[in-house]
Amino acid sequence: MIPIASPELGPEEQQRVEDVIESGYLADGPEVRAFEEEFATYCDADHGVATSNGTTALHAAFEALDIGPGDRVATTPFSFIASANAVRLAGAEPVFLDIDPETYNLDPDALEAALRDGEQIDAVLAVHLYGLPAEMPRFVELAEEHDFALVEDAAQAHGAKIDGRPVGSFGDAACFSFYPTKNMTTGEGGMVVTNRRDVAEGVAEYVNHGRSNAYGGSSSYEHVSVGHNFRLTSLGAAIGRAQLEKLPRFIEARRQNAARLNDLLEASSVTTPYTPEGYEHAYHQYTVRTDDRDGLQETLDDHGVGYGVYYPVPIHQQKPYADLGHAAPNAEAAAAEALSLPVHPALSADDLEVVADAVLAHGEEVMA
C-alpha cells in the first residue's frame, strides 16, 4: 500500500531530542524559544508563540485579538472542524460563507457581498486549504476597509507563498499545526506567528495560565487573566527545529511530485489541483475532483494506493453547527467530489506511476 502520508524523521531529530533529555528542560524552555524565533523568521513574521497543537493556536489567537462573545467570525465551511471549533471555544460565532470552487478556499466575493449587505463581521478566518494560500491580498484590503481582525489558518500551508511572500505574514495572526501528517511535525504542536507584539504577548499569556510575563519565557506566579496550559514541550520543539531545517526540501519534493502527477493525469477523468498565477502551493494534499468518488476509491484500493477524503461533510452540516442555517453549495459539491492522492516526499518515481495508473484505470473502467 502506498500511504497517503509518511512523516520523515531521522537521526537529526533523534539527536536533538537526546540533547533536550540530557539538558533536563523537558517542558517549556530555551528550546521552545529558539523554535519560536526560527519559525517566525521562516514565515517572515516578527513574533512566534508555540502551542500544544493547531487548534489551541487558533483558540489562543482569537483570545489575544479579543474575539469572543457577541462577535461573529466569517470563515469557510470546507475545512477540518477545528477551524470552526476554535471560534466557538473563544465564545464567538462562526459565519459560514461559500468557497471558490477552483481553489476550495473562502471566496472573497462572498465575504464582500456579506459585508455589503450589512452583515456583522468582526473577524475573518481564512483557511489555506490543502496548502494553497487563500486570496490574502483581497482579504487584507477588505479588512482595512471594514476594520475586522484577519486570522490565517495555515495548518496545512507551511511553505506556501503569494508573490514570494510566505503565508503567515498577511493577517493579524496566523496559526500552524505540526501534527504528524503535516508538511513538518513536532509530534503534536502548533504555532501562532504575528507582526503585532500585543498579539504575541496575548497569545503567550493565554497559553501559559494567564501569566503576566509569559512572553519571553520567564517564570512568574503573577496571573493577570484566565488562561490555559497550551504550551509546547521542549521535546516537541527539538523535533520541530530539525524538521524546519528540512522543510524547504520537503516542500520542493511535494511540488515536484504534484507536477509529475499533473503530467501523468493530464488525460484522466479527474480534475487536478488549480494554482492561481503568483501562488506557490505547498501541497499538503494533492486533491483531485471526480463525480465518481466511490468508484475511484474502489479502484485505488484494488491498486494498493492510499487516499483521503478531506472533508466529506462540510462544517455547516455538522451537528454542532447545522442549526445556524447556513448554505454553501460550492462547499457541499466539493465535499461530495474531492479526493486526495499521495504527494508526500517519501514517494518514488515508481510510486507516482502506480498512483497515476490507478486513476487512469478507473477512467477506463468508467468509459467501458
Side-chain angles (χ1 to χ4, degrees), residues 3 24 29 39 70 90 107 112 138 158 166 215 240 296 305:
F39 192 80
D107 186 349
E112 188 168 16
R138 283 281 307 281
H158 322 63
Y215 191 66
L296 178 56
V305 175

Side-chain angles (χ1 to χ4, degrees), residues 130-204:
Y130 302 142
L132 177 66
E135 200 171 332
M136 294 310 299
R138 283 281 307 281
F139 290 125
V140 169
E141 289 178 3
L142 290 169
E144 291 173 350
E145 181 180 352
H146 295 276
D147 193 27
F148 56 74
L150 180 58
V151 179
E152 300 174 64
D153 182 340
Q156 301 181 355
H158 322 63
K161 297 179 180 180
I162 302 174
D163 294 328
R165 181 176 173 181
V167 299
S169 64
F170 289 89
D172 293 290
C175 305
F176 291 82
S177 167
F178 303 123
Y179 187 73
T181 60
K182 296 299 192 290
N183 291 3
M184 60 170 283
T185 185
T186 61
E188 277 276 16
M191 185 79 72
V192 179
V193 299
T194 178
N195 289 318
R196 291 176 50 178
R197 184 176 178 85
D198 63 321
V199 172
E201 291 174 343
V203 171

Side-chain angles (χ1 to χ4, degrees), residues 100 102-103 105 132-133 135 161 274-281:
D100 180 320
E102 287 191 302
T103 66
N105 287 324
L132 177 66
E135 200 171 332
K161 297 179 180 180
Y274 166 74
T275 303
E277 185 176 354
Y279 284 57
E280 296 180 43
H281 204 309

